Amino acid sequence: MTALRWMLLVLLLQLGTRAQALGKPPFVAFERGGLDAVELVAKGRAAPIYVDGNDHAGVLRAAGDLQADVARVSGTKPALLKNAPLGIDVVIVGTLGKSALIDGLAQAGMLDVAALRGKWEGYLIRTVTNPLPGVQRALVIAGSDKRGTIYGIYELSEQIGVSPWYWWADVPPARHKAIYANAGTAVADAPVVQYRGIFLNDEAPALTGWAKERYGGYNHRFYTKVFELILRLRGNYLWPAMWDAAFFNDDPENGRLADEYGIVMGTSHHEPMMRAHKEWARYGKGPWDYHRNEGVLKDFWRAGIEKTQGFEKIVTLGMRGDGDEPMSRDANVALLEKIVKDQREIIARQINPDMKQVPQLWALYKEVQEYYEQGMRVPDDVLLLWCDDNWGNIRRLPTPEERKRSGGAGIYYHFDYVGGPRNYKWINVTPLPKVWEQMHLAWQYDATQLWIVNVGDLKPMEVPIEFFLSYAWNPAAWPADRLQEYLRLWATREFGARDAPEIADIVAKYAKYNGRRRPEMLAPDTYSLVNYDEAARVVADYRALEARAERLYAAQPKERRDAFFQLVLHPVKAAAIVNDLYATVGMNRLYAQQGRTATNDMAARARKLFADDAALTRRYHTMGGGKWNHMMAQTHLGYTYWQQPPRNVMPAVSEVQVPPAGELGVAVEGSAGAWPEARDLKLPALDVFERRPRHVELFNRGGKPVPFTVRTSDPWLLIDKPSGTVDKVQRIAVDARWDEVPAGVTTAQLLVTGPNGTAKIDVPLHKPADAARVRGFVETGGVVAMEAEHYARAVAAPGREWLNVPDHGRTLSGMTTLPVDAPALSPQDGMRLEYDVHLFSRGDVKVHVTVAPTLKFQPGQGLRYAVALDDGAPQVVNLHADGSEKWWEKIVADGAAVFTTGHAVDKPGAHVLKVWALDPGVVLQKIVVDAGGMKASYLGPPESPRVR
């Protein structure tokens, strides 16, 4: 056995005997590491769990979860005690000031809680020897407050192997007969973002149908499952479902249990004063118009505050139009300020006249931000909730002056949306690097009072939800270079160490591919059917992921397959089928234009894929005895405008009437035209730097097979099939023996002959005489395409650095600058990336730079980059010069923005392309120099050859 293989084996064995809590140092083991280790479970006995009966009800309940979790892992259920702990090994749980035992240990100097006192949601976990008479070893979990203790409890649950998703995604824990807490364990933690939560929204038909069937609606039986999940994920805040539900009105137990569990409740950005919008539909009288109906609205809001008395909450202030619409045109800043003033008077009278003691927020959503920019203000103690554009791009972050406000700032973010340019609410489409890049901005700009994310139906968004809440807890723990490690750790926890790296890559890639173009935005012509093999490559990417996921699914033990299907296989297969379906329909339509017999085969294949989509949904709904029935009921096929279709609709296909006699047709790579209608057929150039074959497609336009022959003009021009018979389609690969291609030859020819004539195909060649001296990225096909991270030199200004965000963007990654809150630069400051390129002709070129669709998140000019060729003057490009809705719709639909500058090339040969990042927040992803050969495509040309 090699040394490397031995090291890997040792690592896997260690991972198998130590629990994997996501991103936390492990303190639990399944083999004893020393005599002082606390025996949580050993020899069929479980250490009792002690919690003071006077502690918070939510702590007592969570201790019961720990009791159940230990039994899930070991098969042995520990005792849960509220009297004095007894036993050689015990677990002691408690909150400072609520647990006499925890306070006693602190007073005796056995538990140092100095750093814990006064912290928001802080906890510590320590092993203590001889803490009490008769107790030799204890694992102590102490919290600074109710939720701090609860988080400490769930930290232990995760460490012993219970996933937060054990119920919501059916992740089974690995079974262990023995569990130990290592001697010397000392874990302390507390969150960075104060309020961290999710918004159940756009919840019909999927979540609503599921909740009604399983629980009879959005009642406390449903919500207690949600509360527990949020707490296990170290969240604390919830905006409840509201399309056809009213949290406090539907079930009186909802509010009481949220408070008992420790969930801070709120209402969404357009539901002020703790009243659900649905309640206005049920009980409101008159118009939702403060100017005309002030008294009724005041009474309505007053009742909302009364109903939630004593519950921990954040009160949403302000007012939007009825049903989350903009206010009427005559609404003015003075009226909105009066609304907020009157709402705060209600709060002061009914809760506390000291308004600083009552958490409140004002959501600057859509047009409400415009009111703010026009001068509307709320008192400083009100939290300003800045929002993204509903597509994951933060619209605004606090300025240095705004950061001085006592109420602080937060972010409302989206993994799901109903609205223009199109709904997206079916499956996960948000890559973690995108979330990281945007929420890193929020952290650095001190918008850390509250983070909440719209998660739609919850179920399809398991991975981004957990990352969002994990990052909110401690952003510093997850720098960009740990994003891939994050998913590996997640996969290890859920499915074990053996396959974790591959599972992590699959999960990262499917989200990345979905981020290129959300499934709801797809059309048959989204990806080019003829240029750069783009559509075929996209489908191949998905199908390769699917094959890997299927193989891993088959290798999972039976008890883990449902979880693997939900978290890995289903989203991969779902996206693969839909992308394949649209590409197949696109090919069907192209084949119909070309008169191919295979047109009808493509139509049949599209119908099969449409049926596969439905079958996959049925599989999801029936697994686990139908536990998740309805959860994938969201329509996603057949969009014609922003709103979803009532049913999935297959995109239209064409069929052709096939004549009985065979007839040869010829198409070439890079062209939609086909012989015999198209006479001037020309392949993309064969290039000595690419050394990639091109292809010709011979196809039948009739019912009977047709013979063909292919002749080449030169012996060094290679084809893989010189003759044969075409039943439906026959692809011919065309290449060259480059060492035999004479100097100076730039073209060759193919002659394809069938019963109905001969097609002539020009084959350009590119083999320059100085090929051996070329360095850098080389022009091929009239373009030089480069991924941003493949620079030759990175030049940083003093105090700045370049950062590679892996997997951020449509192709490879994103390059941005740190710190993200630094002042703007000029080209003279030198913050640039340089790319060595080789061009083969002089003249004008265009440089297309693809950047992330980052919005102008600070007042003033937009974000800028600059570009120059060689020593030319830098051309400055403002990413936000076009502020139109049309431009915004394009960049969010595309998941990227592409900008173009023109440059002059004075001579062929080596050149240096320089790209400056002038403002923090610019994320460079791809650069293409178009020397006249760039073809239309969605993702742009593949990266060019690079000669070093």
Side-chain angles (χ1 to χ4, degrees):
M1 182 179 291
T2 67
L4 177 59
R5 289 181 65 188
W6 174 254
M7 291 172 61
L8 289 172
L9 178 60
V10 170
L11 176 61
L12 287 172
L13 290 172
Q14 289 176 340
L15 290 171
T17 58
R18 305 187 72 184
Q20 293 297 301
L22 196 56
K24 299 294 183 67
F27 61 82
V28 167
F30 304 113
E31 295 177 358
R32 188 158 202 157
L35 294 177
D36 290 334
V38 179
E39 291 184 355
L40 300 178
V41 179
K43 301 172 184 176
R45 296 190 300 271
I49 301 168
Y50 170 81
V51 59
D52 195 313
N54 294 316
D55 213 318
H56 299 281
V59 170
L60 297 175
R61 189 209 59 77
D65 283 349
L66 177 60
Q67 179 188 36
D69 289 344
V70 171
R72 286 186 180 99
V73 174
S74 68
T76 303
K77 185 176 182 179
L80 181 59
L81 307 175
K82 297 179 184 177
N83 49 13
L86 296 173
I88 296 174
D89 296 273
V90 299
V91 177
I92 300 172
V93 174
T95 309
L96 290 178
K98 295 289 287 185
S99 169
L101 185 49
I102 292 293
D103 291 344
L105 291 173
Q107 290 166 8
M110 305 188 75
L111 194 65
D112 184 359
V113 297
L116 197 60
R117 292 192 187 279
K119 270 195 174 181
W120 174 267
E121 300 179 344
Y123 67 86
L124 62 82
I125 302 174
R126 290 186 188 276
T127 52
V128 179
T129 56
N130 302 313
L132 296 166
V135 177
Q136 293 183 13
R137 296 173 292 268
L139 181 66
V140 179
I141 301 172
S144 62
D145 53 23
K146 175 170 71 174
R147 278 190 298 274
T149 308
I150 292 169
Y151 295 142
I153 291 170
Y154 285 139
E155 174 68 20
L156 177 56
S157 288
E158 189 178 355
Q159 290 263 354
I160 67 174
V162 177
S163 168
W165 300 97
Y166 79 95
W167 192 87
W168 278 97
D170 303 310
V171 179
R175 300 299 296 268
H176 298 279
K177 293 181 179 180
I179 309 173
Y180 301 90
N182 296 325
T185 291
V187 176
D189 212 351
V192 171
V193 176
Q194 184 173 9
Y195 297 103
R196 310 163 304 280
I198 63 174
F199 178 19
L200 302 177
N201 192 217
D202 311 327
E203 63 270 18
L207 185 64
T208 296
W210 176 81
K212 285 183 176 179
E213 180 176 288
R214 189 172 185 90
Y215 298 116
Y218 290 113
N219 52 37
H220 72 277
R221 295 172 61 225
F222 165 80
Y223 274 113
T224 50
K225 293 293 187 184
V226 176
F227 301 157
E228 181 189 335
L229 175 68
I230 291 172
L231 292 168
R232 284 182 183 266
L233 295 173
R234 293 189 296 280
N236 60 9
Y237 184 50
L238 175 66
W239 287 356
M242 46 69 62
W243 267 23
D244 192 29
F247 181 82
F248 293 104
N249 186 247
D250 289 342
D251 183 349
E253 286 290 276
N254 283 348
R256 184 189 72 79
L257 286 170
D259 197 64
E260 179 180 299
Y261 270 67
I263 298 297
V264 182
M265 290 305 302
T267 46
S268 73
H269 58 285
H270 69 100
E271 298 176 297
M273 301 293 281
M274 305 306 296
R275 295 304 299 264
H277 179 261
K278 199 67 183 176
E279 291 182 85
W280 180 254
R282 295 172 184 174
Y283 310 118
K285 298 177 181 178
W288 180 266
D289 185 323
Y290 203 71
H291 182 72
R292 294 187 290 152
N293 203 19
E294 176 180 330
V296 172
L297 282 163
K298 277 185 176 179
D299 289 341
F300 179 73
W301 292 334
R302 191 176 292 112
I305 300 300
E306 289 174 355
K307 188 178 294 186
T308 58
Q309 280 282 11
F311 296 158
E312 193 175 5
K313 57 185 172 287
I314 302 174
V315 182
T316 298
L317 301 178
M319 188 175 183
R320 288 196 84 212
D322 196 4
D324 199 16
E325 294 294 328
M327 292 281 277
S328 63
R329 291 186 177 218
D330 56 356
N332 56 55
V333 166
L335 175 62
L336 290 167
E337 288 180 337
K338 172 178 168 50
I339 290 170
V340 171
K341 177 176 177 293
D342 292 350
Q343 289 170 339
R344 282 168 60 86
E345 288 177 357
I346 293 171
I347 294 168
R349 285 195 299 270
Q350 296 195 247
I351 301 180
N352 193 328
D354 183 0
M355 298 300 288
K356 294 180 181 179
Q357 303 304 312
V358 184
Q360 306 147 69
L361 67 81
W362 182 38
L364 301 170
Y365 183 74
K366 288 191 175 180
E367 82 288 345
V368 182
Q369 182 182 326
E370 297 172 17
Y371 302 148
Y372 180 87
E373 306 293 5
Q374 292 167 13
M376 179 179 173
R377 292 295 182 268
V378 295
D380 268 13
D381 59 88
V382 176
L383 186 155
L384 294 184
L385 187 64
W386 301 99
C387 305
D388 70 355
D389 60 353
N390 303 302
W391 287 70
N393 307 295
I394 295 174
R395 298 179 68 201
R396 179 83 143 69
L397 289 166
T399 64
E401 190 62 29
E402 289 163 347
R403 291 174 222 172
K404 299 175 183 177
R405 299 179 69 262
S406 61
I411 297 295
Y412 170 32
Y413 201 70
H414 285 75
F415 296 153
D416 164 288
Y417 179 56
V418 168
R422 193 160 287 181
N423 298 354
Y424 63 96
K425 46 186 294 199
W426 176 42
I427 58 176
N428 174 31
V429 297
T430 309
L432 297 192
K434 169 74 172 184
V435 181
W436 182 91
E437 182 254 329
Q438 288 290 293
M439 299 316 295
H440 178 74
L441 291 173
W443 172 41
Q444 293 297 300
Y445 279 79
D446 202 25
T448 55
Q449 200 71 13
L450 186 155
W451 288 5
I452 187 162
V453 58
N454 187 324
V455 301
D457 299 311
L458 190 152
K459 267 296 293 169
M461 310 301 176
E462 297 97 338
V463 173
I465 287 172
E466 183 163 5
F467 177 76
F468 184 88
L469 295 176
S470 296
Y471 195 70
W473 181 271
N474 185 6
W478 301 110
D481 61 6
R482 288 196 72 199
L483 289 175
Q484 293 166 325
E485 181 188 0
Y486 174 89
L487 278 177
R488 181 182 59 77
L489 292 170
W490 169 85
T492 299
R493 186 192 68 194
E494 310 300 50
F495 303 109
R498 184 191 65 186
D499 298 321
E502 187 170 11
I503 292 171
D505 186 61
I506 291 169
V507 171
K509 287 294 190 297
Y510 91 71
K512 178 185 181 72
Y513 296 162
N514 285 346
R516 291 170 172 171
R517 190 78 172 181
R518 287 160 168 79
E520 295 88 344
M521 293 291 302
L522 289 170
D525 60 352
T526 295
Y527 298 107
S528 177
L529 301 169
V530 295
N531 293 323
Y532 308 120
D533 283 333
E534 186 175 58
R537 287 189 296 110
V538 167
V539 171
D541 285 345
Y542 275 110
R543 290 302 189 181
L545 276 189
E546 180 188 19
R548 293 166 64 193
E550 288 279 18
R551 177 178 55 78
L552 291 175
Y553 174 81
Q556 296 299 308
K558 185 177 179 181
E559 65 272 16
R560 282 187 176 173
R561 287 185 178 176
D562 280 359
F564 191 91
F565 180 78
Q566 294 166 61
L567 296 173
V568 184
L569 183 58
H570 174 269
V572 172
K573 283 185 73 71
I577 289 168
V578 169
N579 276 266
D580 198 347
L581 170 60
Y582 278 105
T584 297
V585 171
M587 294 304 294
N588 163 263
R589 296 177 184 180
L590 175 62
Y591 283 12
Q593 293 172 14
Q594 296 174 343
R596 298 194 187 202
T597 300
T599 301
N600 299 342
D601 295 336
M602 283 294 174
R605 187 171 191 275
R607 294 188 184 96
K608 169 69 165 53
L609 289 165
F610 186 67
D612 288 348
D613 175 82
L616 187 66
T617 298
R618 288 193 297 272
R619 180 178 174 185
Y620 198 109
H621 289 167
T622 55
M623 71 176 169
K627 178 179 178 179
W628 301 112
N629 190 30
H630 301 288
M631 197 59 86
M632 282 299 138
Q634 177 58 51
T635 56
H636 48 276
L637 296 169
Y639 275 80
T640 57
Y641 70 120
W642 71 266
Q643 184 58 288
Q644 68 194 39
R647 295 286 185 272
N648 284 322
V649 180
M650 194 184 90
V653 293
S654 298
E655 292 188 335
V656 298
Q657 293 181 345
V658 179
E663 180 184 336
L664 184 67
V666 181
V668 297
E669 177 182 347
S671 174
W675 180 88
E677 285 77 16
R679 294 289 176 174
D680 298 322
L681 298 182
K682 184 178 181 180
L683 277 170
L686 295 171
D687 197 293
V688 69
F689 295 102
E690 283 186 318
R691 295 184 180 255
R692 183 174 79 82
R694 302 299 183 181
H695 67 260
V696 174
E697 280 198 347
L698 313 183
F699 57 87
N700 199 341
R701 292 155 62 105
K704 293 183 179 180
V706 291
F708 72 88
T709 59
V710 183
R711 290 174 291 157
T712 64
S713 60
D714 299 275
W716 41 259
L717 187 62
L718 303 177
I719 53 174
D720 63 344
K721 295 180 182 68
S723 63
T725 300
V726 180
D727 183 23
K728 296 288 182 66
V729 178
Q730 179 67 67
R731 178 169 285 199
I732 308 294
V734 183
D735 205 347
R737 280 193 290 266
W738 287 105
D739 55 344
E740 297 178 15
V741 176
V745 172
T746 59
T747 187
Q749 195 173 73
L750 294 175
L751 297 176
V752 181
T753 301
N756 49 310
T758 298
K760 297 179 181 179
I761 304 171
D762 287 334
V763 185
L765 291 101
H766 184 230
K767 184 184 178 183
D770 60 349
R773 295 193 296 273
V774 169
R775 295 292 181 271
F777 283 100
V778 184
E779 176 190 340
T780 57
V783 299
V784 180
M786 300 166 287
E787 296 293 344
E789 76 167 64
H790 292 158
Y791 53 83
R793 291 164 294 280
V795 181
R800 312 286 180 103
E801 62 179 294
W802 284 97
L803 174 71
N804 178 20
V805 184
D807 259 346
H808 186 16
R810 301 191 305 184
T811 48
L812 183 61
S813 62
M815 294 296 299
T816 190
T817 60
L818 296 177
V820 294
D821 58 347
L825 298 171
S826 70
Q828 289 70 38
D829 295 311
M831 193 77 192
R832 68 183 183 273
L833 300 174
E834 295 184 353
Y835 301 85
D836 294 333
V837 300
H838 193 100
L839 301 171
F840 289 104
S841 60
R842 62 187 299 275
D844 293 334
V845 299
K846 295 178 179 178
V847 175
H848 306 278
V849 176
T850 300
V851 297
T854 309
L855 301 183
K856 188 178 73 169
F857 53 81
Q858 289 284 272
Q861 65 182 348
L863 305 183
R864 301 162 305 141
Y865 74 88
V867 60
L869 193 61
D870 299 324
D871 295 325
Q875 297 185 40
V876 177
V877 177
N878 187 329
L879 276 57
H880 304 110
D882 186 345
S884 68
E885 183 175 5
K886 181 179 180 181
W887 173 249
W888 170 81
E889 287 189 345
K890 175 174 173 52
I891 64 174
V892 298
D894 292 349
V898 181
F899 297 90
T900 304
T901 52
H903 305 264
V905 177
D906 58 356
K907 61 182 180 180
H911 297 273
V912 177
L913 184 72
K914 304 171 185 175
V915 184
W916 289 262
L918 303 182
D919 293 285
V922 173
V923 184
L924 304 170
Q925 295 178 348
K926 184 173 181 174
I927 302 154
V928 178
V929 180
D930 178 13
M934 194 165 83
K935 308 295 185 183
S937 66
Y938 183 75
L939 300 173
E943 191 168 37
S944 300
R946 188 179 191 182
V947 181
R948 298 179 184 273

